[in-house]
Amino acid sequence: MDHATHNAIVSFIWNIADDVLRDVYVRGKYRDVILPMTVIRRLDCLLEPTKVEVLKRYEFLEAQKIYNQAPQLTKASGYPFYNTSKFTLRRLLDEPSQIRANFENYLNGFSDNVQEIITKFKFRNQFETLEESNRLYGLIDKYLDKDINLSSEPVLNETGNVIHPGLSNHGMGSVFEELIRRFNEENNEEAGEHFTPRDVIQLMVNLIFLPVKDQIESGTYLVYDCACGSGGMLTEAEAFMQKLAEETGKKVRIELYGQEVNPETYAICQADMLIKGKDPRNIKYGSTLAQDGFRKLEFDFMLANPPYGKSWKLDKEALEEKIGKKKQVTDPRFVVDHMDLPIGERLELLPRVSDGQLLFLVNKLSKMKQDTPLGSRIAIVHNGSALFTGDAGQGESNIRRWILENDWLEAIIGVPLDMFYNTNIATYVWVLSNRKQGTPREGKVQLIDATGWYRKRRKNLGKKNCDLSPADIQRITELFLNFESTEQSKIFDNEDFGYHKITVERPLRLAFQVTPERVQQFLDKADAKAQPLVDLIQDEFGTERYTDFNQVRERLEAELADYKPKPRQKDWALIRETFTEKDEAAEPIILEQTEDGPVYEPDSELRDTENVPLKENIETYFAREVLPHVPDAWIDYEKTQRGYETSFTKYFYKFKKLRSLEEIKADILSLEAATEGVLQQIVAG
């Protein structure tokens, strides 16, 4: 289909909304009618040539009381869908007075896969509005206009010349996608929830397909988007891969798979698949996190722009099972039982419930192919929090650790601000693969700063005020493929992003002293039999201040050896709580004596942590950075945890020299002159 035909069809359908729906619907609601009607008209065109045969087969099956009719009816229609109503859209116009009832009868005749699309579109909810305003007949009539052809067959004139060419599945898909794009732009505030700009998608498909274009062989490839929205990423990926295959003389079959939680967006995606001749059953409805639609499948190529900054609390509750007395997430996608963990210890890949974006990446990584030459390649969009949120041992850091220690991350590309419709925060494209081994990328990660490469839009689309031009996309792609260090491209070892979080302890130091106030405090908290114990303590220590509680404790233990009743553990705890106070000059409290020396009791209030780069020896770092400042400190190795984070700001920071005082003074004087003394009057006044 040529560009002019494409634009003519899109414009015609777009104008239907203005011609028929204006004053009945607000512009933001036009799509509630136009999108489902476009799908229905396309299906109507495809089914019209076999309508008679389908009705004959249907009548026969009904007479024979055969209930599983779908296999034979789809065979009769020639498509994976059919319609058993006696009506077509054209026949509906024969009975204007019965237009709504007949239209409902017509829709009810569609096969179950089309019924699901109609239901998710909530199209039947529009009937009352369309009927009350007398627009339903006009709407159907517009779609049957002789100036538009949504059929796959060409329209000929009396002499056999083509008036309107037939519309292929790909051509119809392009028309439908353009309508979706326009309607999404009309609803800028919500477009970003299910629509990724085409310039970003083009960059993503470049990054996952071009590195392996010479390795693509003839065969079947599976492409997956776990947050597929209206299916734009899937269709762009298919078109790009088909183009690459044709250039190398390969014949490929591409199966598209996706999952979407928004019902209307899911309907759009399913309709798009149906229009293009794809199997709509490969698009699943529901939350990817809570309901994995493809448990047993692995995919060759995967893309996604998942929601970020969005709670996944309900998904977590759906995933949890009660194990003993605790609830745990047991889904194998989100739990790792290997790496260098102690036996039986699990590494939970669960970020905080307020933001589940990284779980979509974890889901994809669980579906990588292990036994094919290409393995799997992934491109996914995240915001900045995915790079650094979460401390060592927490879910986000565990996910980054899992990715980097398995050497799956190829690159992270920082794209310009204001690239998306509903957010102007920093966003990043992650590129991952499980075939880095044996390549220059093994053990390495490439960071690309493309934040300054864009062109400004003449008109904002929501918060999107810039695009990646073809030249920008090409420049980023070449930087990625070249895999060289430049001002915009930095190459690191995986370990450069990792650190050991060590816990630094310092000893508890207590001074002991008996005072009347403390005696009364002890008696208030102890039981009635405590007076003899207090008398003994007062007789032994008087009111002198002791800075070595270890000696005090030894003397007390000796004096109380024959004391009746024998002091309980809580009595000892109360003695320490009441008669001691922290003192930096006191001796540290000894827990036990060992062959290596005393083991001190740590002071929880002095406890601190340090992040030691993975490439640095912990003891060396500790001796250099900690001991010179606190010589009595030690490391509690049992609390050491490994974490990973990435800071684009640190790696691409460019120092800007501060302005001199002379420059600032000159600006102030210039401003003063421009305001004709007003500034001086304000300051003086």
Side-chain angles (χ1 to χ4, degrees):
M1 178 179 61
D2 61 66
H3 193 63
T5 303
H6 169 88
N7 286 342
I9 295 174
V10 171
S11 295
F12 189 95
I13 297 175
W14 186 256
N15 289 333
I16 291 176
D18 278 336
D19 293 343
V20 179
L21 304 181
R22 181 178 291 180
D23 300 328
V24 178
Y25 289 85
V26 296
R27 290 187 66 85
K29 292 296 183 180
Y30 285 180
R31 68 181 185 185
D32 295 350
V33 175
I34 296 300
L35 291 180
M37 269 303 300
T38 302
V39 174
I40 290 165
R41 176 52 181 157
R42 170 64 173 184
L43 302 184
D44 184 71
C45 290
L46 297 179
L47 294 176
E48 200 166 20
T50 58
K51 184 70 174 181
V52 174
E53 179 59 30
V54 169
L55 290 179
K56 283 182 181 178
R57 188 70 57 89
Y58 175 65
E59 290 171 3
F60 172 78
L61 296 173
E62 285 286 298
Q64 297 298 316
K65 299 189 184 309
I66 296 175
Y67 298 108
N68 184 21
Q69 300 176 356
Q72 293 196 48
L73 293 176
T74 53
K75 184 178 179 180
S77 73
Y79 294 98
F81 51 88
Y82 54 86
N83 188 308
T84 59
S85 167
K86 68 178 183 179
F87 294 103
T88 62
L89 285 182
R90 197 168 299 280
R91 284 195 59 194
L92 290 173
L93 300 183
D94 295 339
E95 300 180 45
S97 62
Q98 299 296 317
I99 190 69
R100 176 177 176 177
N102 291 345
F103 187 49
E104 290 186 15
N105 178 279
Y106 169 73
L107 293 182
N108 292 338
F110 274 111
S111 51
D112 290 344
N113 49 5
V114 180
Q115 292 297 338
E116 184 176 17
I117 293 172
I118 295 170
T119 299
K120 289 297 191 296
F121 267 126
K122 298 182 174 61
F123 185 45
R124 290 182 173 88
N125 294 351
Q126 310 305 322
F127 292 173
E128 186 172 345
T129 301
L130 291 169
E131 184 182 41
E132 286 179 350
S133 59
N134 293 318
R135 303 299 172 95
L136 183 55
Y137 185 95
L139 178 68
I140 297 172
D141 185 50
K142 278 288 186 181
Y143 271 95
L144 296 170
D145 194 291
K146 60 181 177 59
D147 290 332
I148 182 177
N149 179 28
L150 297 186
S151 170
S152 58
E153 299 297 324
V155 176
L156 308 178
N157 62 15
E158 295 177 355
T159 60
N161 294 322
V162 174
I163 301 175
H164 299 297
L167 197 56
S168 67
N169 285 336
H170 179 73
M172 184 64 218
S174 298
V175 168
F176 196 62
E177 286 179 21
E178 178 64 13
L179 289 170
I180 294 168
R181 184 188 69 80
R182 290 196 185 187
F183 281 123
N184 283 334
E185 290 176 0
E186 288 286 322
N187 298 329
N188 287 327
E189 292 305 313
E190 60 185 78
E193 293 183 7
H194 57 83
F195 188 74
T196 304
R198 283 300 185 267
D199 50 342
V200 177
I201 297 177
Q202 184 59 61
L203 173 63
M204 294 171 71
V205 297
N206 278 15
L207 298 174
I208 65 169
F209 288 115
L210 287 180
V212 295
K213 68 175 183 177
D214 295 329
Q215 302 172 50
I216 294 174
E217 300 293 339
S218 298
T220 300
Y221 293 88
L222 276 58
V223 180
Y224 171 58
D225 184 347
C226 60
C228 65
S230 55
M233 281 193 181
L234 292 173
T235 53
E236 287 291 323
E238 179 189 27
F240 193 75
M241 189 177 183
Q242 284 285 10
K243 178 184 174 184
L244 290 180
E246 290 171 5
E247 291 175 355
T248 56
K250 301 295 190 298
K251 293 183 178 180
V252 297
R253 181 177 173 222
I254 302 168
E255 297 290 345
L256 304 180
Y257 294 82
Q259 188 157 350
E260 174 57 36
V261 70
N262 179 282
E264 183 194 45
T265 314
Y266 164 75
I268 293 173
C269 188
Q270 272 225 323
D272 195 30
M273 294 298 114
L274 204 60
I275 283 172
K276 291 177 178 174
K278 296 293 182 181
D279 189 345
R281 292 175 298 181
N282 290 349
I283 306 300
K284 302 297 184 183
Y285 176 67
S287 168
T288 296
L289 303 184
Q291 308 159 17
D292 185 2
F294 305 100
R295 285 185 180 276
K296 297 180 181 180
L297 283 182
E298 295 176 341
F299 302 94
D300 301 283
F301 300 97
M302 295 177 259
L303 308 92
N305 176 17
Y308 27 84
K310 187 175 180 180
S311 171
W312 66 286
K313 183 177 180 181
L314 293 179
D315 297 293
K316 187 172 186 290
E317 292 174 356
L319 288 168
E320 285 179 332
E321 295 181 19
K322 194 166 185 180
I323 309 295
K325 294 183 179 180
K326 285 183 62 179
K327 283 187 175 181
Q328 289 185 350
V329 172
T330 58
D331 192 310
R333 292 178 295 167
F334 307 131
V335 177
V336 178
D337 291 311
H338 49 88
M339 298 176 68
D340 58 348
L341 301 173
I343 294 175
E345 184 178 338
R346 305 174 349 138
L347 184 68
E348 289 192 343
L349 308 176
L350 304 176
R352 63 199 67 196
V353 295
S354 60
D355 188 356
Q357 63 176 297
L358 277 171
L359 285 181
F360 290 89
L361 175 55
V362 173
N363 170 71
K364 286 186 178 296
L365 291 167
S366 73
K367 299 181 182 302
M368 292 190 296
K369 286 192 172 181
Q370 307 296 332
D371 303 322
T372 62
L374 286 182
S376 297
R377 294 187 61 76
I378 299 170
I380 188 169
V381 180
H382 287 299
N383 70 0
S385 69
L387 299 174
F388 52 79
T389 302
D391 203 354
Q394 294 181 341
E396 293 89 347
S397 181
N398 283 347
I399 292 171
R400 293 189 291 268
R401 172 185 171 186
W402 180 59
I403 291 169
L404 287 162
E405 293 187 2
N406 279 289
D407 198 18
W408 291 327
L409 183 60
E410 286 191 352
I412 300 176
I413 297 94
V415 298
L417 299 175
D418 306 316
M419 284 296 299
F420 293 83
Y421 299 104
N422 63 344
T423 181
N424 51 16
I425 62 176
T427 49
Y428 303 83
V429 177
W430 294 38
V431 185
L432 304 98
S433 165
N434 59 347
R435 289 294 182 271
K436 289 174 62 180
Q437 292 71 24
T439 74
R441 292 186 181 273
E442 182 173 1
K444 306 286 185 181
V445 174
Q446 182 181 18
L447 301 184
I448 296 176
D449 179 16
T451 54
W453 296 345
Y454 59 87
R455 66 182 177 193
K456 280 287 186 180
R457 295 185 63 89
R458 287 179 297 175
K459 179 182 178 182
N460 285 13
L461 296 177
K463 295 182 179 178
K464 180 177 175 62
N465 66 13
C466 63
D467 296 318
L468 292 174
S469 69
D472 294 326
I473 294 172
Q474 181 66 20
R475 184 160 34 164
I476 297 169
T477 302
E478 288 178 355
L479 203 58
F480 172 72
L481 294 175
N482 291 340
F483 192 58
E484 296 174 352
S485 292
T486 68
E487 188 176 353
Q488 272 77 38
S489 169
K490 310 288 185 183
I491 297 174
F492 300 90
D493 295 331
N494 292 341
E495 293 80 7
D496 288 330
F497 304 115
Y499 61 92
H500 283 114
K501 180 183 177 182
I502 61 172
T503 299
V504 178
E505 301 282 15
R506 293 182 62 193
L508 178 66
R509 299 173 183 272
L510 297 177
F512 177 90
Q513 186 175 22
V514 179
T515 65
E517 293 80 10
R518 289 178 174 177
V519 168
Q520 188 58 50
Q521 184 180 356
F522 182 88
L523 292 173
D524 290 342
K525 293 183 178 180
D527 55 37
K529 300 178 181 180
Q531 186 64 53
L533 179 59
V534 172
D535 293 340
L536 187 151
I537 292 172
Q538 287 180 304
D539 292 342
E540 180 66 23
F541 298 102
T543 59
E544 184 180 347
R545 181 180 176 82
Y546 297 84
T547 58
D548 188 346
F549 185 68
N550 300 301
Q551 293 182 359
V552 171
R553 184 172 55 198
E554 289 177 5
R555 286 173 57 182
L556 267 176
E557 288 174 348
E559 289 295 326
L560 295 174
D562 300 323
Y563 181 81
K564 302 294 182 180
K566 190 173 183 179
R568 297 159 297 180
Q569 188 63 38
K570 69 176 184 178
D571 294 325
W572 284 107
L574 186 57
I575 290 171
R576 177 164 141 170
E577 175 191 338
T578 308
F579 296 109
T580 65
E581 62 184 355
K582 289 187 178 182
D583 186 342
E584 291 185 6
E587 294 297 316
I589 304 299
I590 299 173
L591 285 178
E592 61 176 325
Q593 292 285 356
T594 68
E595 294 180 357
D596 299 324
V599 176
Y600 296 113
E601 181 177 348
D603 185 342
S604 61
E605 293 183 1
L606 298 179
R607 183 174 294 139
D608 200 1
T609 60
E610 292 280 337
N611 290 343
V612 183
L614 281 186
K615 286 186 172 180
E616 185 160 1
N617 179 272
I618 292 177
E619 295 290 349
T620 302
Y621 177 94
F622 185 71
R624 183 184 72 245
E625 300 292 340
V626 179
L627 289 181
H629 308 288
V630 281
D632 60 353
W634 74 91
I635 301 171
D636 186 345
Y637 284 99
E638 291 185 357
K639 295 178 181 177
T640 299
Q641 292 184 306
R642 197 182 309 170
Y644 286 84
E645 65 181 21
T646 303
S647 172
F648 256 70
T649 303
K650 179 175 73 174
Y651 298 129
F652 291 100
Y653 174 74
K654 294 179 182 178
F655 174 74
K656 291 184 178 180
K657 187 177 179 180
L658 298 177
R659 299 171 66 202
S660 67
L661 291 176
E662 289 73 17
E663 289 177 305
I664 297 173
K665 179 180 178 181
D667 282 351
I668 293 175
L669 292 175
S670 174
L671 180 63
E672 164 67 8
T675 55
E676 298 181 350
V678 173
L679 182 61
Q680 178 62 36
Q681 295 175 26
I682 294 173
V683 174

